[in-house]
Amino acid sequence: INDFFSQKEKSRVLLEGSGGNLVAPIENPTSVIRQRWEKEAKFMGSAPPSSDDNMYMVTTTGVKFPGIKMNSIATIGTKLILSGDYPEYQATMAMDETKPEGLRPLVWIVNKLTGASKEKSAEDQTTHAFTRVSAEVSNGEVIFKAESNLVVDLKFPSFLLKILPVSKEKAEEQGSEALLKALEKDVVPAINNFREEYIKYLS
């Protein structure tokens, strides 16, 4: 199992999600990007990066909310942990660029809430994501497990609350449901594809 996890290209299978994500390696990432990764790792509770860890630029298929679609280009750092009984991949989003598409009033609101229309510093980061994929053996079978954590920080200015088409609570509920569906759409197929790669590896 450790040998399989140690193959660099296998982590890309997980980042591809359901197959629609475009994954490109980042050669020689800058110190600024690695510092962002270190900051996000501390915030999300993932392992800090080291010099031999890999980073990727991942363009996702987007998350659909009522009346709007959020497209994202994420910079993700991947780390292989081999210190335990079984191997574990960790993928931490160091930074992201969000591009909303849809109804113009909603796009304007999203840009105001997330700062998507401007370049973001580490302090401006509103989306934080961390996924771990691990393996264990039970009754002679290898089981792959995935755990994803996604945090979205949104501050609703008082003037925006007056023009939202739904209440703040309803907007948060709809947003949470959309994010959960997006995670399930990507994580479940990614694990299935990862499992298929392992079967090929054994054959």
Side-chain angles (χ1 to χ4, degrees):
I1 301 175
N2 283 3
D3 290 342
F4 173 72
F5 268 71
S6 297
Q7 295 182 12
K8 180 179 177 181
E9 66 273 13
K10 302 309 178 187
S11 62
R12 295 188 58 163
V13 174
L14 296 169
L15 296 177
E16 288 170 357
S18 59
N21 294 345
L22 300 178
V23 181
I26 300 177
E27 304 294 343
N28 302 317
T30 65
S31 59
V32 172
I33 294 178
R34 287 199 171 272
Q35 288 171 5
R36 292 283 291 269
W37 181 1
E38 186 173 354
K39 181 180 179 67
E40 288 299 306
K42 185 176 182 180
F43 179 81
M44 296 300 291
S46 58
S50 58
S51 59
D52 57 347
D53 292 330
N54 300 304
M55 301 196 76
Y56 298 89
M57 188 78 70
V58 181
T59 303
T60 70
T61 55
V63 180
K64 291 183 179 180
F65 296 90
I68 198 168
K69 179 181 179 182
M70 299 294 291
N71 299 308
S72 175
I73 301 175
T75 301
I76 297 177
T78 62
K79 189 176 188 70
L80 175 60
I81 309 293
L82 296 173
S83 56
D85 293 333
Y86 297 106
E88 175 181 295
Y89 271 135
Q90 294 189 357
T92 304
M93 187 175 73
M95 54 198 296
D96 76 312
E97 179 183 355
T98 304
K99 296 182 178 180
E101 294 179 359
L103 300 175
R104 290 183 64 184
L106 292 180
V107 169
W108 181 80
I109 290 174
V110 168
N111 284 334
K112 287 293 183 182
L113 290 175
T114 66
S117 60
K118 65 177 183 178
E119 185 176 349
K120 291 183 288 187
S121 65
E123 288 69 29
D124 297 326
Q125 186 84 5
T126 57
T127 304
H128 315 272
F130 165 52
T131 297
R132 57 159 47 100
V133 174
S134 58
E136 64 180 40
V137 177
S138 178
N139 297 323
E141 294 184 346
V142 177
I143 300 173
F144 296 114
K145 300 189 300 183
E147 176 186 341
S148 295
N149 296 303
L150 179 63
V151 177
V152 180
D153 298 322
L154 294 180
K155 296 180 180 179
F156 289 82
S158 56
F159 77 93
L160 283 180
L161 292 175
K162 297 177 182 179
I163 62 176
L164 281 174
V166 295
S167 67
K168 175 176 176 288
E169 290 74 20
K170 186 63 176 179
E172 290 175 342
E173 178 185 346
Q174 292 177 341
S176 297
E177 291 176 354
L179 290 173
L180 180 58
K181 289 180 180 178
L183 282 175
E184 291 176 343
K185 184 188 74 173
D186 260 4
V187 173
V188 174
I191 288 295
N192 288 334
N193 293 337
F194 193 65
R195 173 181 172 273
E196 291 300 320
E197 288 293 323
Y198 183 64
I199 293 173
K200 292 177 185 179
Y201 172 77
L202 294 178
S203 60

